Amino acid sequence: STGNEALELLKEALSPRGVKAVAVDWLIPQIEERINIILAQLSDFRIRLDTQKVKASEEDGIKEGLWITVINGQGEEMSYENFSGGEKIKITIAISEALASLLNQIGFRLIDEAITSLDAESTESFVAVLLKLQEKFPQLLCISHLQEVKDIFEKQIMITKVNGISKII
């Protein structure tokens, strides 16, 4: 009957092979590309997103999820944990901005102390990314102690701590 056929079609659409698979197959490459475009401005790293990996034992089959593989400038795949603090910040900023860019209706970005441990060259490339974000969004709020970052903002709110109490100056 038509009702049973419609129910079977709905079950197939909602199954792991249905709409979910189509959305993941379309979305993951989009996110990966956005991350790598941003990451290319900050470093020579790239990432690869995988939605499946082989379980510990091949008899166990395939595990589904989302795994981020970082590929260094020499093409070597490395664990995120193997990167320095500054390198991790670059990767995290690229991922955060790529995900946020999917939601174009958000008209601002807030970056809180994201770049405290970068070297001079990395700070310079991060400032370039901030300048691009400034062009793209009506509001960019950036909390930083670094003078190079402070210098790119026309409007600033300076906060100082006096006797343990933060005050706007």
PDB file of all heavy atoms in Angstrom, residues 80-98:
ATOM      1  N   TYR A  80      47.335  16.292  17.329  1.00  0.00           N
ATOM      2  CA  TYR A  80      47.198  17.669  17.810  1.00  0.00           C
ATOM      3  C   TYR A  80      48.038  17.894  19.062  1.00  0.00           C
ATOM      4  O   TYR A  80      48.642  18.943  19.228  1.00  0.00           O
ATOM      5  CB  TYR A  80      45.714  17.927  18.094  1.00  0.00           C
ATOM      6  CG  TYR A  80      45.392  19.273  18.698  1.00  0.00           C
ATOM      7  CD1 TYR A  80      45.320  20.403  17.901  1.00  0.00           C
ATOM      8  CD2 TYR A  80      45.131  19.395  20.056  1.00  0.00           C
ATOM      9  CE1 TYR A  80      45.007  21.636  18.451  1.00  0.00           C
ATOM     10  CE2 TYR A  80      44.814  20.626  20.612  1.00  0.00           C
ATOM     11  CZ  TYR A  80      44.755  21.736  19.805  1.00  0.00           C
ATOM     12  OH  TYR A  80      44.448  22.954  20.348  1.00  0.00           O
ATOM     13  N   GLU A  81      48.115  16.909  19.925  1.00  0.00           N
ATOM     14  CA  GLU A  81      48.868  17.012  21.175  1.00  0.00           C
ATOM     15  C   GLU A  81      50.358  17.231  20.951  1.00  0.00           C
ATOM     16  O   GLU A  81      51.053  17.719  21.833  1.00  0.00           O
ATOM     17  CB  GLU A  81      48.662  15.759  22.038  1.00  0.00           C
ATOM     18  CG  GLU A  81      47.258  15.625  22.611  1.00  0.00           C
ATOM     19  CD  GLU A  81      46.227  15.158  21.594  1.00  0.00           C
ATOM     20  OE1 GLU A  81      46.589  14.448  20.621  1.00  0.00           O
ATOM     21  OE2 GLU A  81      45.049  15.528  21.750  1.00  0.00           O
ATOM     22  N   ASN A  82      50.888  16.871  19.780  1.00  0.00           N
ATOM     23  CA  ASN A  82      52.316  17.017  19.496  1.00  0.00           C
ATOM     24  C   ASN A  82      52.720  18.445  19.121  1.00  0.00           C
ATOM     25  O   ASN A  82      53.903  18.733  19.003  1.00  0.00           O
ATOM     26  CB  ASN A  82      52.734  16.073  18.366  1.00  0.00           C
ATOM     27  CG  ASN A  82      52.671  14.627  18.776  1.00  0.00           C
ATOM     28  OD1 ASN A  82      52.677  14.297  19.954  1.00  0.00           O
ATOM     29  ND2 ASN A  82      52.587  13.752  17.799  1.00  0.00           N
ATOM     30  N   PHE A  83      51.752  19.337  18.943  1.00  0.00           N
ATOM     31  CA  PHE A  83      52.060  20.690  18.529  1.00  0.00           C
ATOM     32  C   PHE A  83      52.258  21.594  19.743  1.00  0.00           C
ATOM     33  O   PHE A  83      51.727  21.338  20.819  1.00  0.00           O
ATOM     34  CB  PHE A  83      50.960  21.236  17.609  1.00  0.00           C
ATOM     35  CG  PHE A  83      50.965  20.584  16.254  1.00  0.00           C
ATOM     36  CD1 PHE A  83      50.256  19.420  16.017  1.00  0.00           C
ATOM     37  CD2 PHE A  83      51.711  21.123  15.219  1.00  0.00           C
ATOM     38  CE1 PHE A  83      50.279  18.808  14.781  1.00  0.00           C
ATOM     39  CE2 PHE A  83      51.736  20.521  13.969  1.00  0.00           C
ATOM     40  CZ  PHE A  83      51.023  19.357  13.752  1.00  0.00           C
ATOM     41  N   SER A  84      53.027  22.666  19.554  1.00  0.00           N
ATOM     42  CA  SER A  84      53.297  23.612  20.638  1.00  0.00           C
ATOM     43  C   SER A  84      52.031  24.413  20.947  1.00  0.00           C
ATOM     44  O   SER A  84      51.062  24.382  20.188  1.00  0.00           O
ATOM     45  CB  SER A  84      54.416  24.580  20.231  1.00  0.00           C
ATOM     46  OG  SER A  84      53.935  25.471  19.234  1.00  0.00           O
ATOM     47  N   GLY A  85      52.092  25.173  22.032  1.00  0.00           N
ATOM     48  CA  GLY A  85      50.950  25.996  22.424  1.00  0.00           C
ATOM     49  C   GLY A  85      50.543  26.972  21.342  1.00  0.00           C
ATOM     50  O   GLY A  85      49.362  27.111  21.020  1.00  0.00           O
ATOM     51  N   GLY A  86      51.525  27.651  20.739  1.00  0.00           N
ATOM     52  CA  GLY A  86      51.237  28.607  19.672  1.00  0.00           C
ATOM     53  C   GLY A  86      50.651  27.933  18.441  1.00  0.00           C
ATOM     54  O   GLY A  86      49.749  28.470  17.798  1.00  0.00           O
ATOM     55  N   GLU A  87      51.169  26.756  18.114  1.00  0.00           N
ATOM     56  CA  GLU A  87      50.656  26.017  16.958  1.00  0.00           C
ATOM     57  C   GLU A  87      49.219  25.555  17.208  1.00  0.00           C
ATOM     58  O   GLU A  87      48.372  25.616  16.318  1.00  0.00           O
ATOM     59  CB  GLU A  87      51.564  24.825  16.651  1.00  0.00           C
ATOM     60  CG  GLU A  87      52.945  25.241  16.164  1.00  0.00           C
ATOM     61  CD  GLU A  87      53.942  24.098  16.144  1.00  0.00           C
ATOM     62  OE1 GLU A  87      53.826  23.162  16.963  1.00  0.00           O
ATOM     63  OE2 GLU A  87      54.863  24.154  15.320  1.00  0.00           O
ATOM     64  N   LYS A  88      48.951  25.113  18.433  1.00  0.00           N
ATOM     65  CA  LYS A  88      47.587  24.686  18.777  1.00  0.00           C
ATOM     66  C   LYS A  88      46.614  25.852  18.672  1.00  0.00           C
ATOM     67  O   LYS A  88      45.481  25.678  18.227  1.00  0.00           O
ATOM     68  CB  LYS A  88      47.556  24.109  20.195  1.00  0.00           C
ATOM     69  CG  LYS A  88      48.173  22.736  20.312  1.00  0.00           C
ATOM     70  CD  LYS A  88      48.115  22.264  21.751  1.00  0.00           C
ATOM     71  CE  LYS A  88      48.781  20.913  21.906  1.00  0.00           C
ATOM     72  NZ  LYS A  88      48.808  20.480  23.312  1.00  0.00           N
ATOM     73  N   ILE A  89      47.070  27.044  19.075  1.00  0.00           N
ATOM     74  CA  ILE A  89      46.207  28.225  18.984  1.00  0.00           C
ATOM     75  C   ILE A  89      45.838  28.496  17.530  1.00  0.00           C
ATOM     76  O   ILE A  89      44.690  28.782  17.211  1.00  0.00           O
ATOM     77  CB  ILE A  89      46.888  29.453  19.627  1.00  0.00           C
ATOM     78  CG1 ILE A  89      46.931  29.271  21.139  1.00  0.00           C
ATOM     79  CG2 ILE A  89      46.182  30.749  19.244  1.00  0.00           C
ATOM     80  CD1 ILE A  89      47.773  30.292  21.861  1.00  0.00           C
ATOM     81  N   LYS A  90      46.806  28.407  16.629  1.00  0.00           N
ATOM     82  CA  LYS A  90      46.537  28.638  15.208  1.00  0.00           C
ATOM     83  C   LYS A  90      45.487  27.654  14.692  1.00  0.00           C
ATOM     84  O   LYS A  90      44.557  28.042  13.983  1.00  0.00           O
ATOM     85  CB  LYS A  90      47.819  28.486  14.394  1.00  0.00           C
ATOM     86  CG  LYS A  90      48.860  29.541  14.673  1.00  0.00           C
ATOM     87  CD  LYS A  90      50.127  29.215  13.905  1.00  0.00           C
ATOM     88  CE  LYS A  90      51.283  30.071  14.321  1.00  0.00           C
ATOM     89  NZ  LYS A  90      52.504  29.743  13.595  1.00  0.00           N
ATOM     90  N   ILE A  91      45.650  26.397  15.051  1.00  0.00           N
ATOM     91  CA  ILE A  91      44.711  25.360  14.605  1.00  0.00           C
ATOM     92  C   ILE A  91      43.326  25.629  15.175  1.00  0.00           C
ATOM     93  O   ILE A  91      42.315  25.580  14.459  1.00  0.00           O
ATOM     94  CB  ILE A  91      45.235  23.965  15.004  1.00  0.00           C
ATOM     95  CG1 ILE A  91      46.547  23.661  14.270  1.00  0.00           C
ATOM     96  CG2 ILE A  91      44.185  22.891  14.724  1.00  0.00           C
ATOM     97  CD1 ILE A  91      47.344  22.506  14.857  1.00  0.00           C
ATOM     98  N   THR A  92      43.267  25.956  16.459  1.00  0.00           N
ATOM     99  CA  THR A  92      41.986  26.216  17.119  1.00  0.00           C
ATOM    100  C   THR A  92      41.282  27.430  16.524  1.00  0.00           C
ATOM    101  O   THR A  92      40.071  27.397  16.286  1.00  0.00           O
ATOM    102  CB  THR A  92      42.206  26.417  18.634  1.00  0.00           C
ATOM    103  OG1 THR A  92      42.816  25.235  19.163  1.00  0.00           O
ATOM    104  CG2 THR A  92      40.911  26.680  19.364  1.00  0.00           C
ATOM    105  N   ILE A  93      42.036  28.503  16.266  1.00  0.00           N
ATOM    106  CA  ILE A  93      41.443  29.713  15.664  1.00  0.00           C
ATOM    107  C   ILE A  93      40.878  29.377  14.287  1.00  0.00           C
ATOM    108  O   ILE A  93      39.773  29.808  13.939  1.00  0.00           O
ATOM    109  CB  ILE A  93      42.488  30.841  15.560  1.00  0.00           C
ATOM    110  CG1 ILE A  93      42.828  31.375  16.944  1.00  0.00           C
ATOM    111  CG2 ILE A  93      42.021  31.963  14.637  1.00  0.00           C
ATOM    112  CD1 ILE A  93      41.716  32.131  17.629  1.00  0.00           C
ATOM    113  N   ALA A  94      41.621  28.622  13.488  1.00  0.00           N
ATOM    114  CA  ALA A  94      41.153  28.271  12.141  1.00  0.00           C
ATOM    115  C   ALA A  94      39.864  27.452  12.209  1.00  0.00           C
ATOM    116  O   ALA A  94      38.914  27.706  11.461  1.00  0.00           O
ATOM    117  CB  ALA A  94      42.237  27.505  11.386  1.00  0.00           C
ATOM    118  N   ILE A  95      39.814  26.490  13.123  1.00  0.00           N
ATOM    119  CA  ILE A  95      38.619  25.664  13.259  1.00  0.00           C
ATOM    120  C   ILE A  95      37.449  26.509  13.745  1.00  0.00           C
ATOM    121  O   ILE A  95      36.342  26.438  13.200  1.00  0.00           O
ATOM    122  CB  ILE A  95      38.878  24.472  14.210  1.00  0.00           C
ATOM    123  CG1 ILE A  95      39.864  23.493  13.559  1.00  0.00           C
ATOM    124  CG2 ILE A  95      37.572  23.767  14.576  1.00  0.00           C
ATOM    125  CD1 ILE A  95      40.391  22.418  14.497  1.00  0.00           C
ATOM    126  N   SER A  96      37.680  27.340  14.755  1.00  0.00           N
ATOM    127  CA  SER A  96      36.611  28.183  15.312  1.00  0.00           C
ATOM    128  C   SER A  96      36.041  29.126  14.264  1.00  0.00           C
ATOM    129  O   SER A  96      34.823  29.266  14.132  1.00  0.00           O
ATOM    130  CB  SER A  96      37.138  28.997  16.492  1.00  0.00           C
ATOM    131  OG  SER A  96      37.576  28.154  17.517  1.00  0.00           O
ATOM    132  N   GLU A  97      36.920  29.785  13.520  1.00  0.00           N
ATOM    133  CA  GLU A  97      36.455  30.737  12.520  1.00  0.00           C
ATOM    134  C   GLU A  97      35.726  30.019  11.378  1.00  0.00           C
ATOM    135  O   GLU A  97      34.719  30.519  10.875  1.00  0.00           O
ATOM    136  CB  GLU A  97      37.610  31.574  11.974  1.00  0.00           C
ATOM    137  CG  GLU A  97      37.210  32.594  10.940  1.00  0.00           C
ATOM    138  CD  GLU A  97      36.088  33.526  11.354  1.00  0.00           C
ATOM    139  OE1 GLU A  97      35.947  33.839  12.558  1.00  0.00           O
ATOM    140  OE2 GLU A  97      35.320  33.947  10.466  1.00  0.00           O
ATOM    141  N   ALA A  98      36.207  28.858  10.977  1.00  0.00           N
ATOM    142  CA  ALA A  98      35.537  28.108   9.909  1.00  0.00           C
ATOM    143  C   ALA A  98      34.129  27.706  10.339  1.00  0.00           C
ATOM    144  O   ALA A  98      33.177  27.848   9.567  1.00  0.00           O
ATOM    145  CB  ALA A  98      36.359  26.879   9.534  1.00  0.00           C
TER     146      ALA A  98
END
